[in-house]
Every structure is written in C-alpha cells, then in structure tokens.
Amino acid sequence: MKKVTMADVAKLANVSKSTVSQYLNKRYEYMSEETRKRIAQAIEELGYQPNVIARSLKQKTTATIGVIVFNMLHMLTTQVLHAIEEECQKREFQVIVCNSGDDPEKERKYIDMLLAKQVDGLIVFPTGKNEDVYHRLVAERFPIVFVDRMVPGVEADSVLLDNFGAAEMAVDYLAAHGYDRIAIVTPPLVAHNVPRMERLQGFRMAMEKRGLKVDDRSVIAAEAAELPGELQKRFAAPERPNALFAINDLTLMGILRFVKETGIRVPDELGLISIDDVPFADIYTPMLTTIAQPTFAMGKKAAERVFEQMDQERTRKPRVFRFSPTLVERTSIR
Amino acid sequence: MKKVTMADVAKLANVSKSTVSQYLNKRYEYMSEETRKRIAQAIEELGYQPNVIARSLKQKTTATIGVIVFNMLHMLTTQVLHAIEEECQKREFQVIVCNSGDDPEKERKYIDMLLAKQVDGLIVFPTGKNEDVYHRLVAERFPIVFVDRMVPGVEADSVLLDNFGAAEMAVDYLAAHGYDRIAIVTPPLVAHNVPRMERLQGFRMAMEKRGLKVDDRSVIAAEAAELPGELQKRFAAPERPNALFAINDLTLMGILRFVKETGIRVPDELGLISIDDVPFADIYTPMLTTIAQPTFAMGKKAAERVFEQMDQERTRKPRVFRFSPTLVERTSIR
DNA sequence: TTGTACGCGTTATCAG
DNA sequence: CTGATAACGCGTACAA
C-alpha cells in the first residue's frame, strides 16, 4: 500500500526515474509541458509520496533538529519549545524532543542517538556534565546552541537570560520600595548550574551596592519539598526577612505554600518578587510582581542560530546572547 | 569528519562490511573472539557511529513516532507529551513533536511530512477536521492513536477522559454540598469538539437527574478573553448562579479573574469546581477543588497502544480507552 | 566463520 | 529535454 515508489511513477508516466526526480525538485525548466503533466497525473493517480529517508541518505541532510531539555514539565521549557517549533515550521524542519531529566548519562545517550539519526542541528538545555561531548561537537562545527544554561569552557552559541541583571532588578525594585532585609530563595546551589550562581552573584552585588548586608541568613537554599519547612525555621529566627526574592517559579511555589500556611501578610509583612512570570500571577491575591523571561524570543533566537550555523560554512565565532528580563509590576510589593 | 562509515571500520579491522554489520547487530555467535575484538577496537579508534538513516532505508522502520498536538502550551499537552516521551525512551524510540495550533491545514501537512519521514506511528490530538486522512491511515492499518479528542466515524484507538463522568462528578459534588443554581462555563461550543460536548451532555444529564433545572442561563460559553465580561453580565441578571463548573483550566482562569474583579466570595457566595488540576490549586485562596485528569496514564497508554499496533500484524479492533478523573477535594466548595 | 553482491528509494552526473 | 548509471550507508541471502 505504501510501496509506491518513484519507479512506479516513472513507469506509469513512461519516463525515467531521473525525470521524475527532476520534476519533484521543481527543475521544470528542462521539461516538456507534456511530460510534466504526465508525471503530475501519475503521481496523483498512484498517490505517490516521496520517501524522505532515501533523500536524506543521498543528501546527507534530514531537515530535522534535535532538542534536548532537562525538564519537559517546566514552563520555560514548554514555551521555548513552542517558539522553536514555530521557527522550524517556517523552514519545514521538524523537531525531535528528548527529555534528559537532567541526567548526564541520558543526555549523552540522546546526543548519540540524534547524531546517528543525522539531525542537522542540536538545541540543548545542557546538564553541563558532558563537556567532552560538547567539545567534540563544537570542534566538528556541528550546529549546536545551548539554552537557559551555558557550559563554561565550551565555545558555543548560548541563549541565556541576563541572570545577573534580573537579580539586580529584583533587589533594586525591592530596595526602592523600602524593603531592607531581603533574602534570596533558591534551590540548592550547585556550581555547575550557571543561572543559579549568576542570580546569586547578581543578588550579592546589588545588595552590597545598596549598602544592604548579606550574610548566611540572606540566602535560603532548599529543595522544593523542604522549602516551606526551611522558611519556617528562618522566620522563627530573629531579624526575619521582610522581602523574598524567588529565583524561579518552583521556589515561588514553595514560598506561596509557606505564606499560606503561616498567614503572613503580603506585601505588608513580606514583599515578594520572583523570576519567571507564572500564569496565575495576576489572579493570585495579591497579584504577584515578577521578572519575566522573554521565553518566546529566546526560543526563536535559538532556532535561528542553529539555522545560521547550518547555512554558513565559515567559522563564525560563537556568541552568547543575553536576553533582558522584564519587570512586571503588580501588587506583591507595597 | 563524520564521514567514517562501516567500510572504514571493515578496512581497519581487516574484515568485510558484512562482518561489521553482524557485529553491530550483536550476532556475535558466528564470529571469532579475535575478529570481534578487532572490530570493537576499530570502531573505537575511528569513533564510528552507525548511520541510522541508511539502516532505516533498508529496514523500513525508523524508531520514531510523530506526535501532533493542537496546543503545545496547554498543560495537558505538556504532561501527556512527557509520558509519551518517557515510554518511548524505554523502547529507544524518539518523538517528533508538531504543533498544529488546531489548524486542520497544518495538521494535514504535518501528517504528510511525518509519513514522508517514515515515522513508525502517530499520536494525534486531532483537530477533527481531516476525516479523509484519518480514514486513509486507518484503512492502511497505520499505527495511530488519538488523544484527548476523538473523531466520530474514524475507527481508531482513542485515549480519552471520561468526560461525561467528569461532568457528572462535578454536578454531584456541587449538589451534594448544597449548591442548586449551577452553571457550566465553557469555551464556545462547536460540534466537532467532542470533549466539550460530552462534558456539556454530562452536565445536562446530571442536573436533570438531580432535578435541577438547566436552561440557557445554566451554560455560559465564551472565548477566554470575553469570559470575565460575560460573567459580569450573567451575574448582574436575576437568579445568579451560586456555583460554577469550569470545563477546563483556561475557563477557570477566566472565572478567577472575574472573581478577583468583583470580589465575590468563594466558596460562600459561589462554589467553584473545574476540570484539570492546575498547579496552583492548593496555593490559591481558597484552595481549588478540581477534577484531575490522569494525564500521565493517558500519555503512557497512548504510547503503549501505538507500539502494540506496530507489533501485531493482525487487525485488532480499535478501542476507546476512557480514563476516570479524580476528584481532588479542596476548599473552593463549602 | 567471513566475504560478495545486490537492494532499499533518491539524487547527481553525464551522455544522448 | 531525457535516460542510463553510479553513488549514499547499511543489511542480508548466498557463496566460499
């Protein structure tokens, strides 16, 4: 049933495979009106569909890119993916999506599989732990771009948030609104997680610049599940913070849970700001002031860059694209 | 650089291509320990990666399935996709994700592209408007399963929520808790959107069974953006509802926006229940009572079914899998 | 146990 | 303008 091939079309149209191939590739110029029609009709009649696999084998290109993310359920991922897909759609490219679950082993395996499948490019939200693979890819000039996180030492295009700026923005806004005991809330800090560290650095610098002291108690780091408990502890101690800066939506959730449990009043007792513009931000009471990432633009840029790398042979120096966050003023800050 | 092929390995190992092929396909049995080692080493040395495309051409199978969704940003989609990906991972399959944006044209185009790419199966959140294509696929016994929505008249595996039961569950729960003027809130009703219609039917039946009257004013249908306005109107009129049943998360958002604007007190003035378990359900005040879809199980089942269809030649009669929703009791109902 | 030769469906080259 | 014929990289009878 699906076995109708170019040869069949050729036979029916009384031409050779080559001619049919020409036709399919729109090289009509050297073709009589007549044969053209015959071929068109034969194709129609047989319901012929070209076999892309065969074409790929010959042309060494698959019109496919691979995307490896570390958490499919994360909203950032979803939105960036969406933008990537949209950009690929324009080019008639398709996207293979893989979820590494932030496991370097899986990531490596996926990269291998995707390469074996001859994808034309790769967009990776990297675990950061497979430097050797990344290096090899870059050395081979294989089109690749990192998103959200970068890998220090690997010279590849990277599409990132201006994490430093985002943290600074948070502190400045909080400080400008009269909060002086600000704590940053984050998942556990691990060195290879660049955005996390950058946000922390940005926080530290901004605090110092503002003359606000930052000590152990200014940074609250915990796994999402433990966060409410951790916060309880911190708020039981003296000099409790009067403002919290959540590094991402997940920690925000933890904070909100804590707030709900204890009944602390936001924004009067506690100012709240976070990175990532959660969908319920303006439905919550109070409405949540956030620092939004331009997820769509980031996804789009990532896709554009792979394509550019594919198109140009020459060795363009890899670039790091820093995207500016947007402050969305709402009412979780007085 | 990436041009190292089986022939190269064969040459270096001093064997023929076939032997290398044997090796790669783990047919070690007919191979001396010695040659095996030589091949292994040659592969290592050259960094050889088999070319899956060539293999696919020969074997007519690509270890790839296509998934076409109508809204990548919807949470249901994300979660189902996640489950699908996970299931594919076990089988070493990969997933090409396409977003139709609920546009039948795009859907059709994507199906064609995926078939041309020789995917081994298809999972579709169908727009419902391409019956001819669906029929052709089913007639050809091409592995396909529908998710979330089904297409009446097309005999294919479908993985769906028990929409009827979900609506009934909502009404029963509301009624049991003393609410008697219940309205259903939904996006515009269009006949080909099966879940929407099923939920409406379930609502109607359940209401009648309970002896609750349902008239024009019991169903509030509007585009997400217009919803708050529509609700305003409805609540200005006499006999305003004292409970709302949101058909999905999007309409829930509209309701919440309306509630926030008008200051209506939930659950005292207004009971609230909705299908889809939004992530902020237990963070919101009051905590939102919801009817959760088993998204993960649904995605898993969908993947399992494509695989089963692929595995068995014989014509199994297509089945419709109805998944039961789960009531998550919280406090938006008194 | 290993090698030869052919086929998978297209595209590219180069005569005709 | 059209048609042989040779790749593309791999799998596999069949032969040795």
Side-chain angles (χ1 to χ4, degrees):
Chain A
M1 24 192 76
K2 292 221 61 49
K3 28 188 60 168
V4 36
T5 162
M6 240 180 56
D8 302 319
V9 177
K11 200 175 302 167
L12 183 60
N14 258 313
V15 294
S16 74
K17 288 191 301 180
S18 343
T19 312
V20 178
S21 178
Q22 303 282 20
Y23 174 86
L24 290 171
N25 295 306
K26 323 246 183 236
R27 307 297 302 148
Y28 303 131
E29 307 146 20
Y30 305 106
M31 207 176 304
S32 69
E33 179 70 11
E34 144 110 44
T35 48
R36 190 156 102 209
K37 286 202 167 154
R38 279 217 311 283
I39 295 176
Q41 199 199 326
I43 289 178
E44 179 67 22
E45 207 160 301
L46 298 169
Y48 166 72
Q49 303 261 148
N51 181 330
V52 176
I53 294 291
R55 196 214 313 282
S56 293
L57 178 58
K58 186 69 186 175
Q59 296 188 157
K60 303 171 160 323
T61 166
T62 53
T64 306
I65 71 169
V67 180
I68 304 178
V69 307
F70 54 77
N71 182 357
M72 276 196 67
L73 298 174
H74 194 58
M75 259 204 44
L76 172 76
T77 307
T78 306
Q79 295 178 344
V80 172
L81 262 179
H82 182 249
I84 292 174
E85 204 276 345
E86 195 158 308
E87 202 58 25
C88 286
Q89 205 165 131
K90 292 183 198 159
R91 293 263 213 154
E92 308 244 280
F93 264 62
Q94 306 202 286
V95 182
I96 296 182
V97 179
C98 306
N99 185 23
S100 72
D102 222 349
D103 172 353
E105 279 312 311
K106 279 195 192 165
E107 180 183 56
R108 161 178 246 115
K109 194 168 166 190
Y110 270 136
I111 292 180
D112 285 344
M113 291 180 70
L114 289 170
L115 291 180
K117 273 203 172 140
Q118 313 292 115
V119 296
D120 297 332
L122 235 33
I123 295 178
V124 186
F125 293 58
T127 63
K129 293 283 192 52
N130 285 316
E131 289 94 339
D132 53 335
V133 185
Y134 306 146
H135 269 120
R136 203 188 74 220
L137 257 18
V138 173
E140 283 177 5
R141 311 228 171 293
F142 187 85
I144 183 171
V145 8
F146 292 129
V147 179
D148 188 50
R149 325 214 272 216
M150 60 174 303
V151 186
V154 177
E155 294 248 322
D157 279 352
S158 307
V159 172
L160 309 170
L161 181 71
D162 174 6
N163 293 298
F164 196 91
E168 199 169 21
M169 185 181 270
V171 172
D172 284 356
Y173 189 75
L174 248 16
H177 287 256
Y179 296 95
D180 54 356
R181 291 195 308 283
I182 307 172
I184 184 174
V185 188
T186 160
L189 294 161
V190 282
H192 71 274
N193 189 313
V194 175
R196 226 167 269 178
M197 297 313 279
E198 286 179 345
R199 289 172 197 184
L200 178 60
Q201 278 312 310
F203 171 77
R204 285 226 159 88
M205 302 287 279
M207 290 289 278
E208 280 164 20
K209 203 166 63 185
R210 285 269 177 178
L212 297 171
K213 55 172 167 290
V214 16
D215 52 22
D216 286 359
R217 294 168 314 183
S218 324
V219 2
I220 303 173
E223 220 53 89
E226 279 83 50
L227 194 47
E230 199 59 34
L231 286 166
Q232 298 276 17
K233 227 183 298 173
R234 182 66 192 85
F235 275 69
E239 284 193 52
R240 49 142 82 175
N242 56 13
L244 255 27
F245 162 42
I247 219 186
N248 65 27
D249 52 357
L250 223 73
T251 61
L252 173 67
M253 296 298 269
I255 294 175
L256 259 23
R257 198 157 275 126
F258 160 76
V259 164
K260 186 165 184 64
E261 284 165 9
T262 57
I264 288 185
R265 296 192 321 279
V266 177
D268 292 332
E269 279 182 277
L270 184 69
L272 222 51
I273 193 168
S274 62
I275 294 182
D276 289 339
D277 192 37
V278 293
F280 59 95
D282 52 7
I283 272 171
Y284 191 81
T285 305
M287 297 195 283
L288 301 167
T289 295
T290 61
I291 294 174
Q293 302 197 41
T295 53
F296 194 83
M298 289 166 73
K300 183 165 184 207
K301 171 61 85 180
E304 284 171 355
R305 285 305 300 165
V306 233
F307 288 136
E308 282 169 32
Q309 287 183 44
M310 286 172 23
D311 293 344
Q312 64 203 21
E313 278 304 306
R314 67 203 177 98
T315 316
R316 262 266 270 261
K317 202 152 147 264
R319 292 185 50 191
V320 175
F321 300 88
R322 288 284 179 179
F323 280 72
S324 299
T326 312
L327 181 67
V328 187
E329 294 193 70
R330 285 188 276 246
T331 54
S332 62
I333 286 175
R334 73 163 124 64
Chain B
M1 24 192 75
K2 290 219 62 49
K3 30 187 60 168
V4 36
T5 164
M6 240 180 56
D8 301 319
V9 177
K11 197 174 304 168
L12 183 61
N14 257 314
V15 294
S16 75
K17 287 189 306 179
S18 9
T19 312
V20 178
S21 178
Q22 304 280 20
Y23 174 86
L24 290 172
N25 295 307
K26 322 246 184 236
R27 309 297 304 149
Y28 302 130
E29 306 146 20
Y30 305 106
M31 208 178 302
S32 69
E33 177 70 12
E34 145 108 45
T35 49
R36 189 156 103 209
K37 286 204 167 152
R38 279 217 313 283
I39 295 176
Q41 199 199 326
I43 288 178
E44 179 66 23
E45 207 159 301
L46 297 170
Y48 167 71
Q49 304 260 146
N51 181 331
V52 176
I53 294 291
R55 197 216 309 284
S56 293
L57 180 58
K58 183 76 190 171
Q59 298 188 154
K60 303 171 159 326
T61 168
T62 52
T64 306
I65 72 169
V67 180
I68 305 179
V69 306
F70 55 76
N71 183 357
M72 277 196 68
L73 299 174
H74 194 58
M75 259 204 44
L76 172 76
T77 306
T78 307
Q79 295 178 344
V80 172
L81 262 180
H82 182 249
I84 293 174
E85 203 276 345
E86 196 158 306
E87 203 57 26
C88 286
Q89 203 165 134
K90 293 183 198 159
R91 294 264 213 151
E92 308 243 281
F93 265 61
Q94 305 203 285
V95 182
I96 296 182
V97 179
C98 306
N99 186 23
S100 71
D102 222 350
D103 172 353
E105 279 311 312
K106 278 195 192 164
E107 180 184 55
R108 161 177 246 115
K109 193 168 166 191
Y110 270 136
I111 292 181
D112 285 345
M113 291 179 70
L114 290 170
L115 292 180
K117 272 201 174 143
Q118 313 293 116
V119 294
D120 297 332
L122 234 33
I123 295 178
V124 186
F125 293 58
T127 62
K129 294 282 193 54
N130 285 315
E131 288 95 339
D132 54 334
V133 186
Y134 307 146
H135 269 120
R136 202 187 76 220
L137 257 19
V138 173
E140 283 175 6
R141 311 230 171 291
F142 187 87
I144 182 171
V145 7
F146 292 129
V147 179
D148 188 50
R149 325 215 272 217
M150 60 174 302
V151 186
V154 177
E155 294 249 321
D157 278 352
S158 307
V159 172
L160 309 171
L161 181 69
D162 174 4
N163 292 298
F164 195 92
E168 199 169 21
M169 185 182 268
V171 172
D172 285 356
Y173 190 75
L174 248 16
H177 287 256
Y179 296 95
D180 54 355
R181 291 194 309 284
I182 307 172
I184 185 174
V185 188
T186 160
L189 294 162
V190 281
H192 71 274
N193 189 313
V194 176
R196 225 167 270 178
M197 297 312 280
E198 287 180 344
R199 288 172 197 183
L200 179 60
Q201 277 312 311
F203 171 76
R204 285 225 158 90
M205 302 286 278
M207 289 290 277
E208 280 165 19
K209 202 166 65 186
R210 286 268 176 178
L212 297 171
K213 56 171 168 289
V214 16
D215 53 20
D216 285 1
R217 295 168 312 185
S218 322
V219 2
I220 303 173
E223 220 54 89
E226 279 83 48
L227 194 49
E230 199 59 33
L231 287 166
Q232 298 275 17
K233 227 184 298 175
R234 182 68 193 82
F235 275 70
E239 284 192 51
R240 47 144 82 175
N242 57 12
L244 255 27
F245 163 41
I247 218 187
N248 65 25
D249 53 357
L250 223 73
T251 60
L252 172 67
M253 296 298 270
I255 294 175
L256 261 22
R257 199 157 275 126
F258 160 75
V259 164
K260 185 165 184 65
E261 283 167 9
T262 57
I264 288 186
R265 296 191 321 278
V266 177
D268 292 331
E269 279 181 277
L270 184 69
L272 223 49
I273 194 168
S274 61
I275 295 182
D276 289 339
D277 193 38
V278 293
F280 59 94
D282 53 7
I283 272 171
Y284 191 81
T285 306
M287 298 195 282
L288 302 167
T289 296
T290 61
I291 294 175
Q293 302 197 42
T295 52
F296 194 83
M298 290 167 71
K300 183 166 183 205
K301 171 61 84 180
E304 284 171 355
R305 285 305 300 166
V306 233
F307 288 135
E308 281 169 32
Q309 288 184 44
M310 287 173 22
D311 293 343
Q312 64 204 18
E313 277 304 306
R314 69 203 176 97
T315 316
R316 261 266 269 262
K317 203 153 145 263
R319 291 185 51 192
V320 175
F321 300 88
R322 287 284 179 180
F323 280 72
S324 299
T326 312
L327 181 66
V328 187
E329 294 193 69
R330 284 189 276 246
T331 54
S332 61
I333 285 175
R334 71 164 128 63

